[in-house]
Amino acid sequence: MSKRKKLSALDITYAAMFAALMAVGANIAQFLPMVGGVPITLQTFFSILAGALLGSRLGAISMTVYMAVGLAGAPVFAKFSGGIGTLVSPTFGFILSYILVSYVIGKMIEAKKNPGVQTFLFACFVGLFLNYFLGTNYMFYAYKLLGIAPEGFSYGMAWGWMMVPLPKDIVLTIVAAVLSPRIYRAVNKTSRGHGRRSVA
Amino acid sequence: MIQNVIIGQYVPGKSLIHRFDPRAKLLTVFLFVIIVFLANNWLTYAALGLFTLGAIILSKLPFRYLYNGLKPILLVIILTFFLHVLLTREGNVLFSLGWFKVYEGGVEQGIYISLRLLFLIMITSLLTLTTTPIDITDGIESLLGPFKRFGLPVHEFALMMSIALRFIPTLLEETDKIMKAQSARGAEFSSGPIKERLKAIIPLLVPLFIGAFKRAEDLALAMEARGYRGGEGRTKLRLLEWSAKDTMLIVSLVVLSVLLIMLRG
């Protein structure tokens, strides 16, 4: 990542606050017992919003902060988990992917003057794809590297394994795509810093 | 739950492990994660096991906390063990049940891999159980200090971590408050058709996001008003102190690494 200019105080607080929002999003199921008993997490949704609202650079930074806070032991990951032990867990790839997701989405939204639902829909599916791609690969290589993968464990099997929650995530992605432009506009209208940021 | 965020998994205490400098502990965990892969026979695994056990005893933590950290990964460990027992075909046959044979190599492999995971989880849990997230943040900032020269915003990053830690409980509380306020206005979060409930997220998230952005702006203004100009020449309230015992910790880990290299087959 190139550091073109120093982070201002506002950059710092925005990124920090979004990292804190991520912690809320990861555990919002605590507040919303819903969607047919399937525990939902809005992490992907929030990482998409991070890219859209903060821009690519700051969005990626805030997701990195979120990851670091979780690794330092704060219970900010889904189900109020946290700690360095998460690195060993196969789902850590998802947490890593949020950084990339917010960066890519930030770039995509920045390229558009007036992002509409289509832009967000496209961006959200790109986000979902990145999510699964990194998540699955991390799981596969984590298993291989830790040597806990049995001999028959193939790359295809890892993907098969990951396909289970896919339908739920596709539905949530569509919901996220429909909701994000509305939140994007509502927040942009009231906040002082951001409107200029995405143009710059 | 909400109050737990700032202290994280930290269990207050005054044991030797608690009193180590967070930098020393971070370095130890980093090194340990690397050298765990050096072990490949029972002698080396015993050495790692003794080190882990010693650390656990010195931390004086009730076993229940360590078990809590282990719980989510316990299933993975058990599964791994059985997969190796079932799939490895090396060494003598230990016993057979019809077509099904258990090999010596498989059991050995299964035990080693499970132990490796167990040690990793134990040592990393010990770090977060005996160190507050704030201390870890300070430790990271100090350890990564040299990278500032290459333009890495280490100070800013640590500051963002501290701010995020500070505001997570606030935002969780705020979410709760907004939900109650919107429920009072008739929003349905927990009943009705799914479509309606998903729609109800909007009146929850919009005020949450706007509130968070507002807080960020106020905080930035307050920082600037107090003359915040980045990390250059900034003094700290909490200072980290490296003492002899921290050096000893690192030395003991180097000794362990040398031992592992000598003993491995």
Side-chain angles (χ1 to χ4, degrees), chain A residues 3 6-21 23-24 27-28 30-36 40 42 45-46 49-50 53-54 58 61-62 64-65 68-76 79-85 88-90 143 145-152 161 171-172 175 178-179 182-183 186-187 190-194, chain B residues 1-2 4-9 26 29 37 73 76 79-80 83-84 87-90 113 116-117 120-121 124-125 127-128 131-133 136-137 140 151-153 156-157 159-161 163-165 167-168 171-172 175-176 179 189-190 194 197-199 201-202 204-206 208-210 212-217 219-221 223-224 228-232:
Chain A
K3 291 281 160 285
K6 256 178 72 177
L7 291 163
S8 73
L10 192 61
D11 289 338
I12 289 172
T13 54
Y14 271 155
M17 214 54 82
F18 226 103
L21 276 175
V24 176
N27 292 298
I28 209 145
Q30 206 80 353
F31 301 101
L32 306 167
M34 54 178 259
V35 197
I40 65 156
L42 299 181
F45 183 27
F46 275 44
L49 283 172
L53 290 167
L54 299 181
L58 215 49
I61 290 176
S62 81
T64 317
V65 171
V69 166
L71 288 181
V76 296
K79 293 187 212 132
F80 287 108
S81 59
I84 306 201
V88 191
S89 113
Y143 272 43
L145 195 74
L146 288 169
I148 59 177
E151 270 155 45
W161 199 331
V171 173
L172 268 178
V175 173
V178 177
L179 299 191
R182 296 170 68 174
I183 295 173
V187 175
T190 49
S191 294
R192 90 174 141 111
H194 166 263
Chain B
M1 259 312 168
I2 288 179
N4 284 348
V5 173
I6 291 218
I7 60 163
Q9 301 165 310
L26 279 164
V29 169
F37 291 95
I73 210 92
V76 178
L79 212 72
T80 311
L83 280 171
H84 277 280
L87 292 172
T88 312
R89 289 168 202 284
E90 278 167 31
I113 304 289
R116 182 189 293 172
L117 270 175
L120 278 176
I121 308 274
T124 50
S125 311
L127 170 69
T128 42
T131 325
T132 59
I136 293 181
T137 305
I140 292 173
L152 224 70
E156 283 82 357
F157 196 77
L159 183 61
M160 284 188 266
M161 281 178 70
I163 297 175
L165 278 168
F167 278 96
I168 289 165
L171 291 185
L172 279 171
T175 312
D176 195 40
M179 278 189 70
F189 292 107
S190 50
I194 287 172
R197 276 187 269 165
L198 284 174
K199 262 192 195 160
I201 294 185
I202 289 211
L204 170 64
L205 290 191
V206 169
L208 180 67
F209 274 70
I210 290 177
F213 274 75
K214 180 96 180 40
R215 269 177 209 282
E217 283 153 19
L219 186 63
L221 203 64
M223 281 164 65
E224 277 162 1
Y228 175 80
R229 298 173 281 108
E232 298 298 305

Side-chain angles (χ1 to χ4, degrees), chain B residues 103-242:
Chain B
Y103 293 82
E104 222 171 64
V107 174
E108 199 183 88
Q109 194 72 7
I111 291 174
Y112 284 168
I113 304 289
S114 315
L115 279 179
R116 182 189 293 172
L117 270 175
L118 190 72
F119 294 157
L120 278 176
I121 308 274
M122 284 294 153
I123 290 293
T124 50
S125 311
L126 269 185
L127 170 69
T128 42
L129 283 170
T130 62
T131 325
T132 59
I134 289 286
D135 272 341
I136 293 181
T137 305
D138 287 347
I140 292 173
E141 176 175 4
S142 167
L143 280 179
L144 295 182
F147 291 100
K148 273 182 204 159
R149 206 172 302 169
F150 306 112
L152 224 70
V154 176
H155 157 76
E156 283 82 357
F157 196 77
L159 183 61
M160 284 188 266
M161 281 178 70
S162 311
I163 297 175
L165 278 168
R166 161 66 186 79
F167 278 96
I168 289 165
T170 314
L171 291 185
L172 279 171
E173 223 164 87
E174 200 156 279
T175 312
D176 195 40
K177 227 184 269 170
I178 295 170
M179 278 189 70
K180 284 188 181 127
Q182 302 292 33
S183 299
R185 296 188 177 95
E188 288 276 6
F189 292 107
S190 50
S191 61
I194 287 172
K195 200 173 152 241
E196 293 302 309
R197 276 187 269 165
L198 284 174
K199 262 192 195 160
I201 294 185
I202 289 211
L204 170 64
L205 290 191
V206 169
L208 180 67
F209 274 70
I210 290 177
F213 274 75
K214 180 96 180 40
R215 269 177 209 282
E217 283 153 19
D218 290 349
L219 186 63
L221 203 64
M223 281 164 65
E224 277 162 1
R226 283 164 183 75
Y228 175 80
R229 298 173 281 108
E232 298 298 305
R234 198 158 174 253
T235 53
K236 297 192 134 227
L237 176 62
R238 296 177 306 269
L239 287 173
L240 300 174
E241 271 174 62
W242 187 277

